[in-house]
Amino acid sequence: DATTGFNIVGYSTTGVFDFSDPSLNFEGGGVGPGCYGPGTGLYNVFPISFYGTQAELENQLFNVLLTGEAVEDAIMQGLICADAPSVGDAPSYSVFIMQEEVQPTCLANAGSVSSNADAFYCGAAGGIQVSSPGFNASADYVQLYVLTLNNAGFTIVDINTTGSFAVPTSSGEYIVHAVNIEGVEIVGLDPSSLIGQSAVNVLSTLDCYSLSTAGSSFVVDDPVTISYEYDCNESTGVATITISFSGGTGAYSVSGDLNGPYFEGQDYVIQLEDANVLSLTAFDGNNCSDSVNDQLPSCVKTAVELYSFDGRVEPIGNYVYWTTASEYNNSHFVVQRSIDGVTFENIAKIDGAGNSNYFNNYNYLDQDAPAGKSIYRLQILDFDGKADLSNAITLERRAEFGIVEVAPVPATDVVNIVFNSTVESVIEVEVIEITGKVVERFNVTSTEGVNKINLNIDAYSAGVYFVNMSDGNEASVGKIIKE
């Protein structure tokens, strides 16, 4: 075809050309009566002698020179070593290829696609409605609208016959096309099965179609999102809010509790005192936005800044102690004890200092502490009735039989004898003079844990006595001094 520079479509070392070969099927192969469609037209055949290998010749014809005129120019300029007659002159040959049965031309018309889609969608739900005033075809064609992602293969996102699409959930640039496809080529095909495929690949499998693209694409933007974390410093009553922005495009224009330009991937910190509402609005470069107008938890200064809380096991009970660094409107402490860590009982009330900016020390001896584990915590109450809880500590008493304490020493009338018992049992008690004479013998019933006996020694003579206690398996001895 002289109008195209004599495109090279094939070659042969035998002079035989098989026009059933797909490489020879192309449109525009010349002009002439009855030349229609792929594979038909005017072909020119001419000889060429090339100095080199067949692979080198193929590379020149199909990758470098491409047309007969380019081959002739390269020979004349000495760029390749070859000989050939002028293209189209003797001894070249002209060949007409005609189809045996004339086929109709592809009459589909996809028209001119227009869209009412905005340039940007800010991650919001909604839809796109496209129209095609010139969208028409004969009864032999199927009319479709195709939504594609603007990438290398124009991936098909949605396809239908209405032109109504939901806004895609993924960010990116999208294009709407109108397509008319010959009906015989789409028989039995579910258009939805094409979703996810390359539109380029799909159309390349069709012999007859017409495609029209919307005048402009549209972009789906990630939604602008404001995120924040809230932290209350109960010792000062000041709340710290850490704010970040994500999504959208470009810098954010922010107003409210923050004002100015801000950027994705950075944290911004503000402090609010006696404030319970966070108010922010952020716009990105595409005017997409997000707003926050949230009620925040109250950040109230606690009655007590607890510096430490600890305890230890003593022979006569569990000793707990604590220190405050400061106190504000503090009424009192309630010492609570639990065996299982779930149910706590109040066992003591200790008055607080009210208001204080220096260290204060407190303690309590739990003489009724049972054997085994005991869990302690403090309930801290201010004068307004507001209550806070401290951390919990665990103390464990060893469950062994024996006298823990005899007091007072010396004594005049009553001696308190404190002892541990591993089980509930009957305990035999003997009071013995230093000479070995038993002064008094009696039994008491013990409970598991710490027990106490009040022994009246008013009638005893002054001197030293020994108290011997036995549960039938173990015995323990203590000393009494009578004034």
Side-chain angles (χ1 to χ4, degrees):
D1 180 3
T3 62
T4 60
F6 298 92
N7 291 326
I8 298 173
V9 296
Y11 83 98
S12 168
T13 59
T14 64
V16 176
F17 293 88
D18 181 5
F19 281 86
S20 65
D21 187 337
S23 67
L24 300 181
N25 293 339
F26 73 107
E27 292 191 72
V31 293
C35 299
Y36 306 103
T40 63
L42 175 62
Y43 292 83
N44 296 284
V45 182
F46 60 93
I48 180 171
S49 297
F50 177 80
Y51 183 75
T53 65
Q54 182 173 330
E56 290 172 339
L57 174 60
E58 290 177 356
N59 181 59
Q60 291 292 328
L61 296 182
F62 300 109
N63 297 324
V64 179
L65 301 175
L66 306 181
T67 70
E69 287 182 346
V71 172
E72 183 179 22
D73 291 342
I75 294 173
M76 297 299 293
Q77 296 171 25
L79 299 178
I80 63 170
C81 187
D83 185 33
S86 295
V87 179
D89 296 337
S92 63
Y93 306 90
S94 295
V95 180
F96 272 160
I97 303 298
M98 299 179 61
Q99 295 177 344
E100 293 183 2
E101 183 179 349
V102 176
Q103 299 292 328
T105 58
C106 185
L107 300 176
N109 178 9
S112 176
V113 181
S114 62
S115 171
N116 65 354
D118 294 333
F120 293 93
Y121 283 83
C122 305
I128 306 160
Q129 181 64 53
V130 299
S131 59
S132 178
F135 193 75
N136 58 76
S138 71
D140 295 328
Y141 294 89
V142 176
Q143 301 176 337
L144 293 173
Y145 289 95
V146 180
L147 178 65
T148 67
L149 181 63
N150 189 5
N151 56 15
F154 292 95
T155 302
I156 298 175
V157 177
D158 199 358
I159 184 168
N160 59 51
T161 59
T162 65
S164 179
F165 299 101
V167 174
T169 57
S170 300
S171 61
E173 184 179 11
Y174 293 85
I175 303 174
V176 179
H177 315 268
V179 182
N180 282 357
I181 301 175
E182 193 173 17
V184 294
E185 296 191 282
I186 205 169
V187 172
L189 177 65
D190 178 9
S192 63
S193 66
L194 302 179
I195 294 175
Q197 299 187 41
S198 163
V200 174
N201 293 339
V202 170
L203 294 179
S204 67
T205 65
L206 305 175
D207 289 329
C208 186
Y209 67 90
S210 182
L211 173 68
S212 180
T213 302
S216 63
S217 61
F218 67 91
V219 173
V220 175
D221 199 359
D222 286 331
V224 176
T225 301
I226 302 174
S227 303
Y228 67 89
E229 294 183 358
Y230 171 89
D231 180 65
C232 174
N233 186 336
E234 295 181 343
S235 63
T236 62
V238 176
T240 300
I241 298 95
T242 304
I243 303 166
S244 61
F245 305 92
S246 61
T249 302
Y252 307 96
S253 176
V254 182
S255 60
D257 291 318
L258 280 176
N259 284 278
Y262 295 90
F263 302 91
E264 186 171 10
Q266 299 185 25
D267 291 335
Y268 303 93
V269 177
I270 61 173
Q271 290 184 326
L272 299 177
E273 186 172 3
D274 298 329
N276 57 2
V277 175
L278 175 66
S279 180
L280 289 169
T281 299
F283 289 88
D284 75 344
N286 293 326
N287 212 34
C288 299
S289 66
D290 187 29
S291 295
V292 169
N293 194 41
D294 289 353
Q295 187 81 25
L296 300 175
S298 297
C299 186
V300 180
K301 185 175 182 179
T302 55
V304 170
E305 182 183 357
L306 192 63
Y307 179 76
S308 64
F309 176 46
D310 209 342
R312 63 176 180 266
V313 176
E314 298 284 1
I316 57 174
N318 289 341
Y319 183 70
V320 294
Y321 50 93
W322 61 98
T323 301
T324 62
S326 64
E327 298 182 33
Y328 171 76
N329 198 36
N330 181 31
S331 172
H332 62 277
F333 303 90
V334 175
V335 181
Q336 298 180 328
R337 181 182 64 205
S338 174
I339 303 301
D340 57 9
V342 177
T343 303
F344 284 83
E345 61 174 324
N346 299 337
I347 59 174
K349 175 183 176 183
I350 309 295
D351 288 336
N355 295 295
S356 171
N357 289 319
Y358 51 85
F359 286 96
N360 286 287
N361 298 313
Y362 300 88
N363 62 76
Y364 175 71
L365 178 64
D366 182 11
Q367 293 182 322
D368 297 323
K373 291 183 180 180
S374 294
I375 301 170
Y376 295 90
R377 71 183 184 189
L378 299 175
Q379 187 182 44
I380 307 166
L381 293 98
D382 64 15
F383 288 109
D384 298 323
K386 181 179 179 292
D388 291 312
L389 292 173
S390 73
N391 61 299
I393 61 172
T394 301
L395 301 177
E396 184 171 6
R397 300 189 62 79
R398 296 178 59 188
E400 296 180 353
F401 177 80
I403 296 174
V404 175
E405 182 183 44
V406 178
V409 178
T412 57
D413 50 3
V414 176
V415 173
N416 297 315
I417 303 171
V418 180
F419 67 95
N420 278 335
S421 179
T422 59
V423 293
E424 182 178 341
S425 63
V426 176
I427 307 299
E428 183 182 66
V429 181
E430 291 181 328
V431 180
I432 305 171
E433 290 182 343
I434 196 169
T435 61
K437 177 183 178 181
V438 176
V439 177
E440 190 173 358
R441 179 183 289 115
F442 57 90
N443 293 334
V444 295
T445 300
S446 69
T447 60
E448 180 181 357
V450 179
N451 295 263
K452 184 166 66 174
I453 301 173
N454 297 321
L455 178 63
N456 190 335
I457 61 171
D458 187 50
Y460 288 13
S461 301
V464 177
Y465 298 83
F466 297 97
V467 55
N468 180 52
M469 304 182 68
S470 173
D471 64 356
N473 295 314
E474 298 181 80
S476 180
V477 177
K479 185 168 67 174
I480 299 173
I481 301 177
K482 169 68 187 295
E483 287 186 323

